[in-house]
Each structure stands twice: as structure tokens, then as C-alpha cells.
Amino acid sequence: MKKNAKILLASAAGIAVLGVTVTALVLTAPRPEEETSSTPDIHESVDLFNYAADDISKLTISNENGEFAINRLGMEKWGIDEIPEDYANTAVYSTVMKNAAELTALQKVEENSGDLGKYGLDKPTSEFSLDFKDGKYDSIKCIVGNKNEGAGGWYFKLGDSDTVYLVNENDILFSQGKYLDYMLLSGFIPSFDGDNDVVSRLRISRKDLDRDIVLDKLPDADPELENTNVYVGYEISSHHDVLADDEKDMGILYGLFELVASSAEAINPTAEQLAEYGLDDPYCSAGMVLNDEVVKIDIGNAIYAVNSETGAVTDEITGYYGKLQGRDVVYVFPIDKLPWVKITVDDILYTQFLTPYIYNIDTVTFANGEGESHTVKIVGNDSDTATFTLDGEKQLYGPDFRSFYRYLLSCHAEKIYVGELTEDNTLIGSFEYKYRRSHDGTQGDGVDTVELYSSEEDLTCIIAVNGQVRYKVRRVYGVRYQTNFEAILNGGNIQEEY
């Protein structure tokens, strides 16, 4: 089975920096100059400074999250000491450095203010400073005060001045962030290459599961076989080797290739941090064997939504803390990127577990619960020429037998059953497909047998395939089997629906 999975590339490194990325302003104002007017129009925009980002040697940011510095590493290249280069989102560095180098105020609010407190500038919400390579320019210190919600900006002043400005929120939103906002949040695993990559196994371990869910890749289908059973890519080997539905298992099989975090929470987490995030004893783990290498994610504590009006924590889960094997970082992953935390085996069950093409079958033997059995010999390869002989003697009417055969194939599994048969599970009947020599069975070796047992406790039928208990279906399928059994032998209407 092949699939071209695409990684969702995210250039943003957290909500704060994303806002910067989306609305960065490209300013072309001249270098700061002395004011030429003593009575400026306070409603006009004011060019505060305009430098080339590559001239900045260091941008230092300080706020309630702490202090960190973005250092120039080379031509248009920056980094944060605490973030390994492989983990960094270089695009965000570039955007933030450009925003920091070029700043225009929406307006001048008050020149030489005597009361900085009313703007929050006596106790700043954040500060940032620019240092320049080779002392090309003097260092600049910038102070950010309160937010003006109505104007969509922040009060601002330069460090050596008491003149207050209003600066567009998005232009200096970087000053409110933390160093972890500069982490790469996607592309953890290279894109799946359908021609060269093979996911041979997936294992999901979860605290609410009685047993792990394990999917193993099946051998590729023989391209020369036609009109045979529907082939699928994986079996659920942890649950009696039942087949997994290719249309339903894609998310859990290939989700690790498409993994995108919403934020990073810690680099090189301590034991205490791992315990805080629930990653010392993960709630869930999902690991795949990719080209003989294990790729794994551990998923810890849930993150709950907060009511925007009351501030109360709700019971809505928005994400989980997680950690990828080989990457010593704790991330937050949105719930829609973590299919492994809720999936059940019934969610990925291939319900049409045994659907042999009628003209690949040599004989069909069907029996009831009392041991009465009959065999139909099938000769021919199409509806115009095929004959159906009952017990070597009686020619069955073609449309009736084909209707009966379609009914047998309609036995779609509704859930996996991993229990054992008991004396309370009485045999309703069975049917056996014996394949023509060129078409061995897809589950047996030339022969597949299905047995139906009653389950009175939940009014269902238990299905055993080739002697192994596997599925449950609605009870009415077993009831219909008994009436159709009589109808094919003695005449009557075959009822395909149930």
C-alpha cells in the first residue's frame, strides 16, 4: 500500500510570533533624525528608526517570561543560545529581526510626558534593546507599556526619552513572547516517500485499553489476481489478525509524518517537568516501525479549554503535552493532530472481512446448527454460462443461488470480539468456501470457513473465521441465515437484507 503523505509546514512558532509573521511592516523611513517641529501633529505616524536587520548583532527581549537574546551568527542568520540550531524556526528569526530593526509609531501620544505611569511605562510589560555589529550605531533601548485595546496598539517610548508613542500591536508583539516561540513546530519526520518508505508496524499503547493496538503490514497483493477478495494493507495483529480498513487507518498510520505542534513548552525537561506534563508515565504512546527504525511519540496530560468569560477551566480537551523519541523537547499538540488518543479497534475494522468473488470458488458448503450440510458446485465464469449444482444432483436456479451467495457475503463485521466461546454460545450454522486451484483463499489456504454462534447476553452473533473467534454482528443476520438456508433448499424468497 502506498500513500503520499505531505507534511504541513508551519512557519510560525507560537501565537505571539505568528502575529508578527502575518502583519510584518516593511518600512522605508530614513534614519532617526532630530525633531524639526516643536508642535508635531500627534495624529500622524512617526518614523522611530529604520535599520538594516543584518546590522543588528543582538536583540535582547525582557518581559514576564524572562529575558533572552537573539544573536547574529552570520549573514542574515541568527540564533538563541538555548535552542539547538536543528530545532529552530529560522524563518521566524528573520521576521522578528526585521520588525525589530524597522519601527514606525501610529502616532505621537504625548511629548515629554510627566506621568509615564498612566501609560504603564513606569512598570513596563516588556523591553527590548538593539546592539549593532562593530559599533556601527549606538545601542537602542525600547520600552513597552500598557495596551490600548481600542486603538490596537501599545504605548511605547525610547529608553532615553519621555515622549510617548502608540505603536501597532503586531509590530512589537515579539517583545511579549518567550524564547520557545522560536522553535520549529513541524517537519519532525521527512515526508513519506511511497516508493521507498515502508511502515511495517504501528503500535498504540494507552491506559484505557485492555491491550495495545498493533497493526502489521500485509504482503502486497498479487497484481495478476483479478476479481478476487478486496486486499487491504494492514491487519490488526493484536486482535486476532483481523483486517484494518485502508480508508480508516490512514490517520493513525501516517499521522506522525503530519505532526504539527502548537507550541513548545520545555527544552531538556527535568524529571520534575516530565512529571508535571504527565510524560514520566505517558497516557498514550504511538510508535511506528519505519524502514526498520522506530519513530515514537509519548503523549502526557490533557490540556483543557478555559471559558473566556469566567476564566474557569472547562472539560473540553484542546490538546496534549507530547514528546517525540530522540527529541528532548516537550510540545503542545492540538487534539486533531493526535488520532491515537481516542482510536479504537472497531474504528479501523475492515467490516467486509471475507468477500471471495463467486467465480473464484469451486464449492460452497453450508450447514445449519443441527449438522445438516449441503454443497453447491460452481462451474463457469459468468452469469450467462455458470451452473450451480446442489449435492451433485440438483441444478439450482442461477439468480436464486447468486442472491443466496450475496447474502453470505453481506456478513459485515460490526465489532471485534476477543472473548472465548462458552457453552451458552450455540452454533447457528456455518459456510465454507473452497477456492478454485488458481485462487487460494485470502485468509485460509484454499479453504475459508465461517461459523455463526448465538450470543444471548447482548443479542448478537459471534463469528469465527477458520476456527478463530473474531467478530460480532447483529443477531438478525443469524436469523436470516436460517430462513435462507431453508429457502435455497426448498424454494422460497432469499432475503439479502437484514
Side-chain angles (χ1 to χ4, degrees), residues 10 12-14 82-89 178-189 256 259-269 273-274 276-279 296-303 318-335 337-338:
E82 293 84 354
I83 300 179
E85 189 171 351
D86 289 345
Y87 293 1
N89 189 334
K178 55 185 185 296
Y179 80 93
L180 290 170
D181 293 337
Y182 297 78
M183 294 281 288
L184 192 65
L185 301 178
S186 64
F188 304 117
I189 305 169
L256 284 165
L259 200 58
V260 177
S262 54
S263 65
E265 293 299 309
I267 299 177
N268 301 319
Q273 286 177 309
L274 290 175
E276 176 188 352
Y277 298 127
L279 291 166
K296 182 181 178 185
I297 182 173
D298 288 331
I299 301 167
N301 292 338
I303 299 167
T318 60
Y320 286 83
Y321 296 107
K323 184 176 178 295
L324 288 156
Q325 180 174 289
R327 184 175 286 259
D328 210 12
V329 180
V330 176
Y331 297 95
V332 170
F333 294 100
I335 186 66
K337 294 298 180 182
L338 301 174

Side-chain angles (χ1 to χ4, degrees), residues 19-89:
V20 175
T21 305
V22 174
T23 59
L25 298 179
V26 180
L27 306 180
T28 57
R31 303 288 177 203
E33 296 180 356
E34 294 296 327
E35 296 289 345
T36 57
S37 172
S38 57
T39 58
D41 184 348
I42 65 171
H43 298 292
E44 293 183 356
S45 63
V46 179
D47 298 328
L48 297 172
F49 49 80
N50 185 357
Y51 297 99
D54 200 49
D55 283 337
I56 299 175
S57 62
K58 181 168 69 172
L59 168 62
T60 304
I61 298 171
S62 176
N63 55 45
E64 63 179 6
N65 299 304
E67 181 176 297
F68 64 96
I70 303 175
N71 301 292
R72 184 178 184 276
L73 304 179
M75 181 68 70
E76 296 185 354
K77 185 177 181 180
W78 295 273
I80 295 174
D81 291 344
E82 293 84 354
I83 300 179
E85 189 171 351
D86 289 345
Y87 293 1
N89 189 334

